[in-house]
Amino acid sequence: MRLTEFNEMVGIEFGRLRSDAMLVDHVLIELGGRTGAQAIADGVDPRDVWRALCRDFEVPPERW
């Protein structure tokens, strides 16, 4: 997944304002206790960050 696609999907699913805050504030335990923004900066595939967010926020699997 490209970063542009990731940003688009996060914005659509959670709303632009909420997603911007979520990526810098919400800690993803399954990604080593990093925020989504930190994980991406550390080289984690955006697809893995997307899936972790979906699990944490109980997004139905058909929208992953």
Side-chain angles (χ1 to χ4, degrees), residues 1-17:
M1 169 183 284
R2 294 182 184 270
L3 189 55
T4 53
E5 182 182 8
F6 168 82
N7 287 325
E8 182 179 329
M9 291 177 73
V10 172
I12 289 169
E13 184 64 41
F14 301 107
R16 181 53 46 208
L17 292 177

Side-chain angles (χ1 to χ4, degrees), residues 4 13 15 18 20 23-24 26 29 34 36 42 49 53 64:
T4 53
E13 184 64 41
R18 182 178 180 207
D20 288 346
L23 289 174
V24 296
H26 182 74
I29 299 302
R34 296 176 283 192
D42 289 345
V49 177
L53 287 169
W64 292 14

